């Protein structure tokens, strides 16, 4: 997806920024508007416009406090055009003149008395997104196929009972998307490798465990997320890549990274507990020692040294106090002398 205007001069950009400042747009908001002005293709449809169902994702990616604050900033700049519902004067979409022709048939003709300041978000849409819940990825505002009630009677509770839109087809497409990334050395280095590095650095993990975090992030979080977005099926691979990169840079993306780190850590801890439990339940020799079911290594517990390995050819441990002497290669029992000194005596056969 290319902009209508492929180049823009620095002077023109400086003039635009100066105008925005004169309209009381803050320095922290200007870079966000510039991104929209130059074109965030991941959040545009095939007509190069930003549709209302993508406003929430744009808000998350650019870190606006609310969806309404995003729209207010776009209105105040007066550098974007709005497509509205004539009857209700509700915003259906907006676009940058750099990316979409102003005389397009998509554009709704506005009454000369209608100003941008009188335009509003659809009532149901504004109400639903007022809470800005970034944690429920299947709530309203994420799907381009969901209908918006003009009366605004639908509540969050009603929506929570709706089934998500994940289908076998969308799930397969999302899996294939990440398989393609992993199979392309350039895309893998640009998208996946930095994530492994992030997990390794921020979580203090080994490379192996950082890779496990990435697998958890992709399989348990990103694939379901994209499979649950109706517009994912309408996007090409390039558009999906832009979408993924923008998502990972957003607050929602940071939340997903933290979720993946926590989920993968809990999974490893659970596996360690299960392994230890399996080890402690495995007494093939006798009740005084254990055998690791995976490695076959015999061991026993010592209060000072912890877990102590037992040679494969050693006799069975004779009691719970017996200690293996690596020098004499025999079992010995600890005793305490009248003077309090520890000594050992050989276990008699």
């Amino acid at each position: 997806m290319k902009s209508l205007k492929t180049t823009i001069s620095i002077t023109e950009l400086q003039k635009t920024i100066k105008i925005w400042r004169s309209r009381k747009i803050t320095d922290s908001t200007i870079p966000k508007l510039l991104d929209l002005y130059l074109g965030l293709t991941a959040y545009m449809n095939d007509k190069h416009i930003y549709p209302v169902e993508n406003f929430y994702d744009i808000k998350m990616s650019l870190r606006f406090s609310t969806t309404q604050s995003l729209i207010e900033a776009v209105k105040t700049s007066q550098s974007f055009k709005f497509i509205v519902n004539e009857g209700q004067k509700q915003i259906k979409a907006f676009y940058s003149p750099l990316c979409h022709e102003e005389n397009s048939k998509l554009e709704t003709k506005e009454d000369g008395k209608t100003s941008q300041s009188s335009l509003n978000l659809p009532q149901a849409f504004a109400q639903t997104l007022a809470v800005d819940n970034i944690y429920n990825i299947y709530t309203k505002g994420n799907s381009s196929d969901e209908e918006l009630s003009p009366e605004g009677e639908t509540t969050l509770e009603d929506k929570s009972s709706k089934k998500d839109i994940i289908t076998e087809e969308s799930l397969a497409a999302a899996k294939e998307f990440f398989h393609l990334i992993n199979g392309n050395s350039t895309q893998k280095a640009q998208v996946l490798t930095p994530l492994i590095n992030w997990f390794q650095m921020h979580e203090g993990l080994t490379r192996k465990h950082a890779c496990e975090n990435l697998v958890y992030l992709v399989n348990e979080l990103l694939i379901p997320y994209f499979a649950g977005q109706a517009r994912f099926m309408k996007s090409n691979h390039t558009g999906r890549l832009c979408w993924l990169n923008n998502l990972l840079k957003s607050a929602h993306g940071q939340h997903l990274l933290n979720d993946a780190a926590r989920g993968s850590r809990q999974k490893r801890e659970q596996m360690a507990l299960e392994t230890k439990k399996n080890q402690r339940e495995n007494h093939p020799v006798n009740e005084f020692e254990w055998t690791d079911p995976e490695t076959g290594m015999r061991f026993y517990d010592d209060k000072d040294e912890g877990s102590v390995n037992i040679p494969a050819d050693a006799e069975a441990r004779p009691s719970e106090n017996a200690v293996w002497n690596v020098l004499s290669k025999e079992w010995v029992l600890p005793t305490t002398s009248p003077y309090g000194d520890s000594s050992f005596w050989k276990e008699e056969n």
Side-chain angles (χ1 to χ4, degrees):
M1 186 181 295
K2 296 182 179 179
S3 299
L4 294 176
K5 191 171 182 179
T6 57
T7 60
I8 183 170
S9 68
I10 295 177
T11 302
E12 188 174 350
L13 276 180
Q14 290 175 331
K15 181 180 178 181
T16 300
I17 293 173
K18 185 176 181 179
I19 293 174
W20 288 349
R21 285 201 174 107
S22 70
R23 291 170 180 161
K24 309 302 181 183
I25 294 177
T26 63
D27 288 341
S28 62
T29 302
I30 286 175
K32 303 174 184 180
L33 289 178
L34 275 177
D35 283 341
L36 290 170
Y37 190 65
L38 297 175
L40 286 176
T41 56
Y43 302 110
M44 294 179 179
N45 61 17
D46 56 354
K47 302 301 182 182
H48 298 202
I49 66 174
Y50 300 107
V52 66
E53 59 266 23
N54 291 356
F55 288 0
Y56 178 78
D57 288 336
I58 295 173
K59 169 257 177 185
M60 294 301 305
S61 178
L62 297 182
R63 300 187 180 185
F64 280 93
S65 58
T66 63
T67 308
Q68 191 63 46
S69 65
L70 160 66
I71 299 305
E72 290 301 326
V74 172
K75 288 181 184 177
T76 304
S77 72
Q78 300 181 30
S79 297
F80 298 84
K81 298 295 182 179
F82 285 91
I83 300 175
V84 302
N85 180 311
E86 286 186 355
Q88 299 177 348
K89 296 181 181 179
Q90 292 176 346
I91 299 171
K92 295 169 58 179
F94 70 88
Y95 62 88
S96 166
L98 297 181
C99 303
H100 178 74
E101 294 181 1
E102 292 191 40
N103 60 353
S104 169
K105 294 180 180 179
L106 279 175
E107 199 171 342
T108 301
K109 294 181 179 180
E110 301 177 26
D111 191 335
K113 297 180 180 179
T114 302
S115 65
Q116 286 191 350
S117 61
S118 66
L119 303 182
N120 297 302
L121 285 170
Q123 184 179 6
F125 182 80
Q127 288 177 350
T128 302
L129 293 186
V131 293
D132 287 326
N133 182 3
I134 69 172
Y135 303 116
N136 187 349
I137 62 177
Y138 303 124
T139 53
K140 189 169 185 169
N142 286 331
S143 169
S144 59
D145 287 347
E146 295 184 39
E147 296 181 359
L148 303 176
S149 170
E151 290 80 14
E153 295 177 353
T154 304
T155 63
L156 286 174
E157 288 75 14
D158 294 333
K159 285 299 178 182
S160 65
S161 63
K162 286 190 64 176
K163 292 183 178 179
D164 58 54
I165 59 174
I166 294 180
T167 64
E168 292 184 4
E169 182 183 7
S170 66
L171 193 60
K175 290 179 180 179
E176 179 63 19
F177 170 53
F178 284 98
H179 283 311
L180 290 175
I181 294 176
N182 193 50
N184 184 303
S185 58
T186 301
Q187 293 176 9
K188 182 178 181 180
Q190 292 174 342
V191 179
L192 302 183
T193 302
L195 292 175
I196 297 174
N197 296 338
W198 188 91
F199 284 125
Q200 190 172 13
M201 179 175 68
H202 287 79
E203 296 294 317
L205 302 176
T206 63
R207 195 69 175 176
K208 177 177 179 295
H209 286 165
C211 290
E212 291 175 355
N213 280 22
L214 175 64
V215 172
Y216 186 97
L217 172 67
V218 172
N219 291 340
E220 304 297 330
L221 301 175
L222 291 178
I223 287 177
Y225 172 81
F226 285 112
Q229 310 293 317
R231 63 189 174 93
F232 179 77
M233 298 298 292
K234 303 175 184 178
S235 305
N236 58 26
H237 186 72
T238 302
R240 292 171 179 177
L241 277 175
C242 292
W243 185 358
L244 174 59
N245 284 324
N246 287 330
L247 173 65
L248 293 174
K249 294 175 184 177
S250 70
H252 191 183
Q254 185 62 53
H255 174 73
L256 293 177
L257 288 173
N258 293 334
D259 265 4
R262 180 171 57 256
S264 189
R265 180 170 58 253
Q266 292 173 346
K267 188 176 180 179
R268 284 193 296 271
E269 290 172 351
Q270 182 62 32
M271 289 179 63
L273 288 174
E274 291 177 359
T275 298
K276 186 174 182 180
K277 180 180 179 182
N278 291 337
Q279 290 175 344
R280 298 301 169 176
E281 291 178 349
N282 193 29
H283 296 272
V285 179
N286 62 27
E287 69 272 23
F288 303 124
E289 64 177 76
W290 297 270
T291 301
D292 189 322
E294 294 184 1
T295 64
M297 176 66 71
R298 296 164 58 193
F299 66 95
Y300 67 93
D301 286 333
D302 183 89
K303 64 179 181 180
D304 296 321
E305 298 183 17
S307 180
V308 180
N309 292 333
I310 303 172
D313 57 351
E315 295 180 1
R317 191 182 185 208
S319 70
E320 63 179 355
N321 294 325
V323 177
W324 181 254
N325 189 312
V326 295
L327 298 178
S328 64
K329 297 183 179 181
E330 295 175 307
W331 290 106
V332 295
L333 292 175
T335 61
T336 303
S337 71
Y339 302 99
D341 296 329
S342 295
S343 60
F344 293 87
W345 60 278
K346 178 180 176 182
E347 174 69 16
E348 295 181 359
N349 296 326

